[in-house]
Amino acid sequence: FTQGKAINIPYAYADLRFNPAFDKKTGYFTRSILCVPIANKHGKVIGVTQVLNKRGGPFNDEDESRLKAFTGQASIALQNAEAHGAVRLRADQDALTGLRNHGAFQRELSELLADSTDGQPFATLMLDLDAFKTFNDSRGHPAGDALLAAIGQPYASAARVTVVAPYLAYSR
């Protein structure tokens, strides 16, 4: 899809681009293929939609038009999901330290508790930095933010996927 155009292959085994390995492994027989690139709003290809084996023969121009319309909707959905994820990340992270904020901590802990009905143990780790307010007041908020990031990042890096990421609360 380097050209970003639809590809209609009426006879898969007659096309050198077709790799029959999946068919051989599964016993499936691919007759025809129609592929349409999924492009983002900037025209960059971010995926592909593929349909196989139209009943009654090869795919035609109308099939391609319909798949392009479907793919356009899929592109919008993918971009919306990506944007939602980016917004959620910004909402869940402290902009200065990069660590999870209180809202993210509470939500993820609630989800973890709700999912822990299988009896599997889990743990939480809470750190209390003695005299942090004094450090913050005497050295400035940027130094305090840097200290929180330096303390929290190793925990965030070591956390398993199922563990709620570190959250540091402090008052300024």
Side-chain angles (χ1 to χ4, degrees), residues 93-99 141-150 153 170 172:
Q93 276 186 335
D94 181 278
L96 298 172
T97 65
L99 298 173
H141 295 288
D145 292 336
L147 177 63
L148 289 175
Q153 287 304 335
Y170 61 95
R172 290 186 179 213

Side-chain angles (χ1 to χ4, degrees), residues 69-134:
F70 171 82
T71 299
Q73 296 300 311
S75 174
I76 292 168
L78 288 169
Q79 291 175 88
N80 286 342
E82 183 178 32
H84 177 74
V87 168
R88 181 67 169 262
L89 181 62
R90 282 193 301 274
D92 286 351
Q93 276 186 335
D94 181 278
L96 298 172
T97 65
L99 298 173
R100 309 294 271 175
N101 62 25
H102 181 73
F105 174 79
Q106 291 294 326
R107 186 186 66 260
E108 291 172 13
L109 183 60
S110 293
E111 290 170 5
L112 184 62
L113 289 168
D115 292 342
S116 69
T117 58
D118 60 1
Q120 292 293 317
F122 67 92
T124 59
L125 172 66
M126 299 184 82
L127 300 175
D128 182 13
L129 303 179
D130 290 338
F132 178 74
K133 184 170 181 352
T134 304

Side-chain angles (χ1 to χ4, degrees), residues 9-139:
I9 302 173
Y11 306 102
Y13 281 86
D15 194 296
L16 295 176
R17 296 169 293 184
F18 176 67
N19 180 352
F22 181 80
D23 282 10
K24 288 177 184 171
K25 185 175 181 179
T26 64
Y28 189 79
F29 183 76
T30 303
R31 293 184 309 275
S32 58
I33 305 170
L34 177 60
C35 300
V36 173
I38 303 172
N40 66 14
K41 63 184 174 186
H42 305 293
K44 179 182 175 192
V45 175
I46 59 172
V48 64
T49 304
Q50 173 180 284
V51 290
L52 305 174
N53 296 353
K54 179 182 177 183
R55 289 183 188 153
F59 294 101
N60 58 35
D61 290 342
E62 183 180 341
D63 298 321
E64 187 175 322
S65 292
R66 287 181 179 176
L67 188 58
K68 283 180 178 178
F70 171 82
T71 299
Q73 296 300 311
S75 174
I76 292 168
L78 288 169
Q79 291 175 88
N80 286 342
E82 183 178 32
H84 177 74
V87 168
R88 181 67 169 262
L89 181 62
R90 282 193 301 274
D92 286 351
Q93 276 186 335
D94 181 278
L96 298 172
T97 65
L99 298 173
R100 309 294 271 175
N101 62 25
H102 181 73
F105 174 79
Q106 291 294 326
R107 186 186 66 260
E108 291 172 13
L109 183 60
S110 293
E111 290 170 5
L112 184 62
L113 289 168
D115 292 342
S116 69
T117 58
D118 60 1
Q120 292 293 317
F122 67 92
T124 59
L125 172 66
M126 299 184 82
L127 300 175
D128 182 13
L129 303 179
D130 290 338
F132 178 74
K133 184 170 181 352
T134 304
F135 178 90
N136 213 28
D137 290 345
S138 66
R139 303 221 179 157

